[in-house]
Amino acid sequence: MGCGGCRVRFNFGKVLSKVSVFFTMVLIFTYFFYCLTGICDSAPRALYSQQASHRDYDILDDLRQPPRVSPDAPSQNRTASADAEQVGAPGQHQIPDSAKESDLSSGIPVSNTFGSKRFPQAIIIGVKKGGTRALLEFLRIHPDVRAVGAEPHFFDRFYDKGLEWYRNLMPRTLDGQITMEKTPSYFVTKEAPSRVCTMNSQTKLIVVVRDPVTRAVSDYTQTLSKNPGLPSFQSLALKNSSLGLIDTTWSAVRIGLYAKHLENWLQHFPLSHFLFVSGERLVSDPSGEMGRVQDFLGLKRVVSDKHFYFNQTKGFPCLKKPEGSSRPRCLGKSKGRPHPQIPSEVLQKLRDFYRPFNHRFYEMSGQDFGWD
């Protein structure tokens, strides 16, 4: 009997020992699980993801001379529209415009906790329909450039939210990297130069310009795609069809007065702080124009002709497929839209109207863009 009792106590002791070992293992496993989870959460993501959720591939903003079609324009309403929706092209990497229209009030997500958020050292300030999206996407190939994908519109629409709100929109950067943003409407906003100067008087400013007549037609085409009831181009561009006076209150015409807008900026920044990029050369020689941009920003020339190929169908360059992707990045079908047929006499009146402003802009910028 005594021996039986000893065996029971012995077996009970073995069971208790096994249970203790089991719970110890559970505790150790739980400890390592939480440790590993914490490490994964703090590990850096790829620095060159460049906030892909905010990219749109509005790459070249129909900078080529497209085929022409006849417009349908019975009604009124001359308000400018937002960027047209993007439709993917077969075999090419497309991201819809919904990705870029993020809620800026909630801030742009940060992909890692390394680096810090800084005010932009360089801003692409204009112009609409000049090729600003193309330039930004080309720049984002560079490992030393971090940029906001969506247009912040801080210095023209959201200035009352304060500089801290603006800084929080910026991506995190490491030492040696440049923070950038682009909002083309800054160039034509009267208050923008003084506001940018207040933030940082050393900010580098990039302006992508294009033949103002072609730009106006492209601007109108974009608006027409959103509002098919828009009046004809000529009825908006001319105050009086019989007199042939140009209506400079129409934004599509007013934006092309580059010399007037530049005068406003030169009251706050010296000319040395500006780089004027040719929208036409961004199409015909993207690597050459990107070389000038990288030099201006003090960057090593990383973006070169090896990053581009010319898409014969679309008529402009696209980015070659990035590493790890099977498809190139190019335009959606909504880019390179056919322009409506504009009477040649209306286009000639616009060219005559813009000529003195163009020559003045050539003198001010020190570059002859050859639009006349």
Side-chain angles (χ1 to χ4, degrees), residues 145-165:
V145 173
R146 299 299 310 279
V148 182
E151 294 176 3
H153 282 282
F154 174 66
F155 296 106
D156 59 345
R157 298 181 190 172
F158 302 118
Y159 194 65
D160 60 338
K161 291 183 178 291
L163 284 168
E164 189 61 21
W165 177 87

mmCIF file of all heavy atoms in Angstrom, residues 145-165:
data_model
loop_
_atom_site.group_PDB
_atom_site.id
_atom_site.type_symbol
_atom_site.label_atom_id
_atom_site.label_comp_id
_atom_site.label_asym_id
_atom_site.label_seq_id
_atom_site.Cartn_x
_atom_site.Cartn_y
_atom_site.Cartn_z
ATOM 1 N N VAL A 145 15.292 62.033 -54.101
ATOM 2 C CA VAL A 145 14.117 62.901 -54.174
ATOM 3 C C VAL A 145 12.931 62.199 -53.544
ATOM 4 O O VAL A 145 12.611 61.061 -53.886
ATOM 5 C CB VAL A 145 13.775 63.275 -55.642
ATOM 6 C CG1 VAL A 145 12.451 64.033 -55.708
ATOM 7 C CG2 VAL A 145 14.882 64.114 -56.257
ATOM 8 N N ARG A 146 12.298 62.855 -52.585
ATOM 9 C CA ARG A 146 11.044 62.383 -52.009
ATOM 10 C C ARG A 146 10.006 63.464 -52.243
ATOM 11 O O ARG A 146 10.261 64.631 -51.966
ATOM 12 C CB ARG A 146 11.176 62.123 -50.507
ATOM 13 C CG ARG A 146 12.193 61.062 -50.113
ATOM 14 C CD ARG A 146 11.875 59.690 -50.673
ATOM 15 N NE ARG A 146 10.507 59.280 -50.434
ATOM 16 C CZ ARG A 146 10.049 58.750 -49.290
ATOM 17 N NH1 ARG A 146 10.866 58.606 -48.270
ATOM 18 N NH2 ARG A 146 8.791 58.386 -49.172
ATOM 19 N N ALA A 147 8.852 63.076 -52.763
ATOM 20 C CA ALA A 147 7.854 64.072 -53.139
ATOM 21 C C ALA A 147 6.453 63.624 -52.762
ATOM 22 O O ALA A 147 6.149 62.427 -52.724
ATOM 23 C CB ALA A 147 7.917 64.343 -54.641
ATOM 24 N N VAL A 148 5.607 64.602 -52.494
ATOM 25 C CA VAL A 148 4.188 64.340 -52.255
ATOM 26 C C VAL A 148 3.545 64.042 -53.600
ATOM 27 O O VAL A 148 3.751 64.769 -54.574
ATOM 28 C CB VAL A 148 3.515 65.580 -51.616
ATOM 29 C CG1 VAL A 148 2.053 65.294 -51.331
ATOM 30 C CG2 VAL A 148 4.238 65.983 -50.354
ATOM 31 N N GLY A 149 2.766 62.974 -53.671
ATOM 32 C CA GLY A 149 2.121 62.614 -54.932
ATOM 33 C C GLY A 149 0.957 63.516 -55.271
ATOM 34 O O GLY A 149 0.828 63.991 -56.399
ATOM 35 N N ALA A 150 0.092 63.778 -54.297
ATOM 36 C CA ALA A 150 -1.057 64.655 -54.518
ATOM 37 C C ALA A 150 -0.616 66.112 -54.441
ATOM 38 O O ALA A 150 0.400 66.433 -53.837
ATOM 39 C CB ALA A 150 -2.135 64.383 -53.472
ATOM 40 N N GLU A 151 -1.379 66.983 -55.070
ATOM 41 C CA GLU A 151 -1.061 68.420 -55.031
ATOM 42 C C GLU A 151 -1.581 69.017 -53.720
ATOM 43 O O GLU A 151 -2.792 69.041 -53.495
ATOM 44 C CB GLU A 151 -1.694 69.134 -56.227
ATOM 45 C CG GLU A 151 -1.090 68.701 -57.552
ATOM 46 C CD GLU A 151 -1.792 69.335 -58.752
ATOM 47 O OE1 GLU A 151 -2.715 70.159 -58.528
ATOM 48 O OE2 GLU A 151 -1.427 68.999 -59.897
ATOM 49 N N PRO A 152 -0.712 69.527 -52.851
ATOM 50 C CA PRO A 152 -1.148 70.041 -51.540
ATOM 51 C C PRO A 152 -2.008 71.298 -51.617
ATOM 52 O O PRO A 152 -2.870 71.514 -50.766
ATOM 53 C CB PRO A 152 0.171 70.336 -50.814
ATOM 54 C CG PRO A 152 1.185 69.498 -51.506
ATOM 55 C CD PRO A 152 0.752 69.437 -52.936
ATOM 56 N N HIS A 153 -1.754 72.163 -52.594
ATOM 57 C CA HIS A 153 -2.496 73.434 -52.736
ATOM 58 C C HIS A 153 -2.457 74.254 -51.446
ATOM 59 O O HIS A 153 -3.411 74.968 -51.128
ATOM 60 C CB HIS A 153 -3.955 73.170 -53.134
ATOM 61 C CG HIS A 153 -4.122 72.834 -54.577
ATOM 62 N ND1 HIS A 153 -4.101 73.782 -55.571
ATOM 63 C CD2 HIS A 153 -4.291 71.625 -55.196
ATOM 64 C CE1 HIS A 153 -4.273 73.186 -56.748
ATOM 65 N NE2 HIS A 153 -4.370 71.881 -56.550
ATOM 66 N N PHE A 154 -1.347 74.169 -50.731
ATOM 67 C CA PHE A 154 -1.264 74.885 -49.459
ATOM 68 C C PHE A 154 -1.205 76.395 -49.646
ATOM 69 O O PHE A 154 -1.916 77.143 -48.973
ATOM 70 C CB PHE A 154 -0.038 74.411 -48.672
ATOM 71 C CG PHE A 154 0.205 75.186 -47.412
ATOM 72 C CD1 PHE A 154 -0.691 75.127 -46.347
ATOM 73 C CD2 PHE A 154 1.334 75.994 -47.270
ATOM 74 C CE1 PHE A 154 -0.476 75.843 -45.174
ATOM 75 C CE2 PHE A 154 1.562 76.719 -46.111
ATOM 76 C CZ PHE A 154 0.655 76.643 -45.059
ATOM 77 N N PHE A 155 -0.362 76.864 -50.550
ATOM 78 C CA PHE A 155 -0.131 78.306 -50.676
ATOM 79 C C PHE A 155 -1.224 79.036 -51.447
ATOM 80 O O PHE A 155 -1.186 80.264 -51.553
ATOM 81 C CB PHE A 155 1.236 78.564 -51.319
ATOM 82 C CG PHE A 155 2.386 78.075 -50.487
ATOM 83 C CD1 PHE A 155 3.087 76.932 -50.834
ATOM 84 C CD2 PHE A 155 2.754 78.748 -49.320
ATOM 85 C CE1 PHE A 155 4.140 76.467 -50.050
ATOM 86 C CE2 PHE A 155 3.802 78.298 -48.532
ATOM 87 C CZ PHE A 155 4.498 77.156 -48.897
ATOM 88 N N ASP A 156 -2.201 78.290 -51.984
ATOM 89 C CA ASP A 156 -3.302 78.970 -52.653
ATOM 90 C C ASP A 156 -4.658 78.680 -52.023
ATOM 91 O O ASP A 156 -5.540 79.529 -52.017
ATOM 92 C CB ASP A 156 -3.332 78.655 -54.158
ATOM 93 C CG ASP A 156 -3.475 77.174 -54.457
ATOM 94 O OD1 ASP A 156 -3.274 76.347 -53.549
ATOM 95 O OD2 ASP A 156 -3.788 76.823 -55.620
ATOM 96 N N ARG A 157 -4.857 77.476 -51.456
ATOM 97 C CA ARG A 157 -6.184 77.126 -50.924
ATOM 98 C C ARG A 157 -6.216 76.897 -49.420
ATOM 99 O O ARG A 157 -7.211 77.191 -48.770
ATOM 100 C CB ARG A 157 -6.720 75.860 -51.612
ATOM 101 C CG ARG A 157 -6.917 75.994 -53.107
ATOM 102 C CD ARG A 157 -7.468 74.695 -53.663
ATOM 103 N NE ARG A 157 -7.448 74.685 -55.130
ATOM 104 C CZ ARG A 157 -7.723 73.613 -55.861
ATOM 105 N NH1 ARG A 157 -8.023 72.467 -55.263
ATOM 106 N NH2 ARG A 157 -7.687 73.673 -57.182
ATOM 107 N N PHE A 158 -5.155 76.303 -48.882
ATOM 108 C CA PHE A 158 -5.203 75.847 -47.492
ATOM 109 C C PHE A 158 -4.208 76.555 -46.582
ATOM 110 O O PHE A 158 -3.777 76.003 -45.575
ATOM 111 C CB PHE A 158 -4.952 74.328 -47.447
ATOM 112 C CG PHE A 158 -5.930 73.528 -48.266
ATOM 113 C CD1 PHE A 158 -5.495 72.752 -49.339
ATOM 114 C CD2 PHE A 158 -7.287 73.561 -47.983
ATOM 115 C CE1 PHE A 158 -6.384 72.020 -50.105
ATOM 116 C CE2 PHE A 158 -8.186 72.830 -48.737
ATOM 117 C CZ PHE A 158 -7.745 72.059 -49.802
ATOM 118 N N TYR A 159 -3.843 77.775 -46.932
ATOM 119 C CA TYR A 159 -2.829 78.484 -46.157
ATOM 120 C C TYR A 159 -3.271 78.730 -44.716
ATOM 121 O O TYR A 159 -2.449 78.791 -43.805
ATOM 122 C CB TYR A 159 -2.488 79.812 -46.839
ATOM 123 C CG TYR A 159 -1.229 80.462 -46.318
ATOM 124 C CD1 TYR A 159 0.012 79.854 -46.495
ATOM 125 C CD2 TYR A 159 -1.277 81.677 -45.643
ATOM 126 C CE1 TYR A 159 1.178 80.443 -46.022
ATOM 127 C CE2 TYR A 159 -0.113 82.274 -45.173
ATOM 128 C CZ TYR A 159 1.109 81.652 -45.364
ATOM 129 O OH TYR A 159 2.259 82.230 -44.890
ATOM 130 N N ASP A 160 -4.565 78.843 -44.511
ATOM 131 C CA ASP A 160 -5.064 79.104 -43.154
ATOM 132 C C ASP A 160 -4.882 77.906 -42.229
ATOM 133 O O ASP A 160 -5.023 78.034 -41.012
ATOM 134 C CB ASP A 160 -6.537 79.520 -43.205
ATOM 135 C CG ASP A 160 -7.435 78.452 -43.819
ATOM 136 O OD1 ASP A 160 -6.920 77.602 -44.569
ATOM 137 O OD2 ASP A 160 -8.647 78.464 -43.545
ATOM 138 N N LYS A 161 -4.549 76.752 -42.767
ATOM 139 C CA LYS A 161 -4.324 75.566 -41.925
ATOM 140 C C LYS A 161 -2.973 75.615 -41.215
ATOM 141 O O LYS A 161 -2.749 74.864 -40.268
ATOM 142 C CB LYS A 161 -4.434 74.279 -42.756
ATOM 143 C CG LYS A 161 -5.853 73.991 -43.242
ATOM 144 C CD LYS A 161 -5.902 72.683 -43.993
ATOM 145 C CE LYS A 161 -7.324 72.365 -44.436
ATOM 146 N NZ LYS A 161 -8.211 72.034 -43.296
ATOM 147 N N GLY A 162 -2.086 76.479 -41.676
ATOM 148 C CA GLY A 162 -0.818 76.672 -40.969
ATOM 149 C C GLY A 162 0.325 75.830 -41.511
ATOM 150 O O GLY A 162 0.125 74.776 -42.124
ATOM 151 N N LEU A 163 1.536 76.311 -41.263
ATOM 152 C CA LEU A 163 2.732 75.662 -41.785
ATOM 153 C C LEU A 163 2.960 74.262 -41.218
ATOM 154 O O LEU A 163 3.497 73.391 -41.900
ATOM 155 C CB LEU A 163 3.960 76.538 -41.505
ATOM 156 C CG LEU A 163 4.105 77.766 -42.420
ATOM 157 C CD1 LEU A 163 5.162 78.715 -41.864
ATOM 158 C CD2 LEU A 163 4.463 77.353 -43.839
ATOM 159 N N GLU A 164 2.546 74.048 -39.965
ATOM 160 C CA GLU A 164 2.747 72.727 -39.376
ATOM 161 C C GLU A 164 1.895 71.678 -40.094
ATOM 162 O O GLU A 164 2.334 70.546 -40.321
ATOM 163 C CB GLU A 164 2.405 72.759 -37.878
ATOM 164 C CG GLU A 164 2.777 71.493 -37.119
ATOM 165 C CD GLU A 164 4.282 71.208 -37.152
ATOM 166 O OE1 GLU A 164 5.085 72.125 -37.395
ATOM 167 O OE2 GLU A 164 4.646 70.024 -36.927
ATOM 168 N N TRP A 165 0.682 72.063 -40.449
ATOM 169 C CA TRP A 165 -0.188 71.172 -41.236
ATOM 170 C C TRP A 165 0.488 70.830 -42.557
ATOM 171 O O TRP A 165 0.492 69.675 -42.983
ATOM 172 C CB TRP A 165 -1.528 71.867 -41.482
ATOM 173 C CG TRP A 165 -2.491 71.096 -42.323
ATOM 174 C CD1 TRP A 165 -3.383 70.163 -41.912
ATOM 175 C CD2 TRP A 165 -2.656 71.204 -43.759
ATOM 176 N NE1 TRP A 165 -4.102 69.671 -42.979
ATOM 177 C CE2 TRP A 165 -3.671 70.286 -44.129
ATOM 178 C CE3 TRP A 165 -2.050 71.972 -44.753
ATOM 179 C CZ2 TRP A 165 -4.101 70.138 -45.450
ATOM 180 C CZ3 TRP A 165 -2.463 71.823 -46.066
ATOM 181 C CH2 TRP A 165 -3.473 70.916 -46.405
#
